[in-house]
Amino acid sequence: GTFSIDDKYTDRAFGNRRPTYSLRAELADYPAESPQKYVDRDGNLWIARNGGIDYVTVANPAFTFIDSTPLDSIGTDIHVVYAAPDGHIWAASRDTRIMVYDSDGHHIGNLTPSGRIIADPSAPSGVRAYSFMAGSDGRMWIGTKSQQLLVLTPRGSQTYSVRRYLAADTPGGLHCADIYDIAEDSGGNMWLATFGGGIVRASDTPDGLRFGQKEPAAPGRGLRIRRLQAVGGTLMMAAATDGMAVFDMADSLPRPVCFNSTEPSRGSSL
């Protein structure tokens, strides 16, 4: 991280003028033998040593570690963590658990295949989730690497109805259901980063969701999309395995997306 040191000090370490601030009472007996010491305005202690700088404080820790209960050794791999607008934290592990925590990191429950959040920390969801996105309409979208898109609609306390969309080659179908990222545009449409099917827009229709694909300008290019980021309400940035693209979300779907491709031989290439 970054920090600033009070401008009262001018020598090579912390300055040739001594601090005018007092240590916090809890740090008064801290063994600090180095002559290069500094006390900041909050009473924290900075100590210059040959190997770097120590920072000593009694403030709250910078990190809080959240426990989970892996089903097996692969369960220690966390694929995605998402802070939802309602304050809940969603996390997914490789052993198919989808866990929900409150804003303090306390476990609320795990998502089951039926859409219930239950207190069992080892309960599996049945899918390997790779992305979460809470839509402005309250639905939770879950992209997976299990050839499924899950759309959860709240049905009461800790209960959702689950709609599953599988890969289908039919018109309006989801051609690829391995989804690495999800973004929402200002019109409420969801954009999906698929790993093999390019960029897909999901739109609500009276008959359910309809999917439209943004084709790359060059066949076979830019189909493996890893990240999406909406910019300014009109543009979408897409990061793919072999490059990236920026396009206007208002463009008609058949209009191709031009990718800036990676050039391994050029050091400044994406």
Side-chain angles (χ1 to χ4, degrees), residues 25-241:
E26 301 94 326
L27 299 179
D29 297 326
Y30 185 84
E33 299 177 357
S34 171
Q36 300 294 347
K37 294 178 288 187
Y38 170 77
V39 180
D40 65 23
R41 66 181 69 248
D42 296 318
N44 304 309
L45 181 62
W46 300 81
I47 307 169
R49 303 187 188 277
N50 290 337
I53 298 175
D54 291 348
Y55 172 60
V56 188
T57 182
V58 294
N60 292 329
F63 302 97
T64 299
F65 292 92
I66 298 175
D67 293 327
S68 65
T69 306
L71 300 180
D72 49 43
S73 60
I74 65 173
T76 60
D77 294 343
I78 303 298
H79 286 157
V80 59
V81 176
Y82 175 69
D86 63 2
H88 288 167
I89 300 169
W90 293 67
S93 58
R94 190 178 175 189
D95 58 1
T96 77
R97 289 174 301 126
I98 294 178
M99 301 148 284
V100 184
Y101 302 88
D102 65 18
S103 58
D104 294 322
H106 300 132
H107 183 254
I108 297 174
N110 285 20
L111 180 69
T112 65
S114 65
R116 294 177 57 226
I117 304 292
I118 65 173
D120 182 359
S122 63
S125 69
V127 295
R128 289 186 178 180
Y130 265 59
S131 55
F132 296 107
M133 172 57 68
S136 56
D137 59 2
R139 292 182 294 181
M140 176 63 75
W141 294 61
I142 303 177
T144 79
K145 199 178 178 181
S146 301
Q147 281 289 296
Q148 295 183 47
L149 167 67
L150 276 56
V151 181
L152 278 55
T153 303
R155 296 301 185 202
S157 177
Q158 300 184 13
T159 303
Y160 298 86
S161 65
V162 182
R163 185 73 182 268
R164 299 173 186 271
Y165 295 89
L166 310 180
D169 291 331
T170 57
L174 184 58
H175 293 178
C176 176
D178 278 347
I179 299 167
Y180 276 44
D181 201 13
I182 305 171
E184 184 177 18
D185 65 22
S186 58
N189 300 305
M190 288 294 185
W191 293 81
L192 313 177
T194 73
F195 200 70
I199 305 164
V200 175
R201 185 178 68 189
S203 304
D204 282 303
T205 73
D207 298 323
L209 285 180
R210 184 174 180 86
F211 302 93
Q213 184 176 354
K214 277 274 190 185
E215 299 287 352
R221 295 300 306 278
L223 291 175
R224 293 177 294 176
I225 314 299
R226 293 184 178 271
R227 291 290 180 266
L228 294 172
Q229 178 65 52
V231 181
T234 59
L235 298 178
M236 182 72 75
M237 299 180 67
T241 297

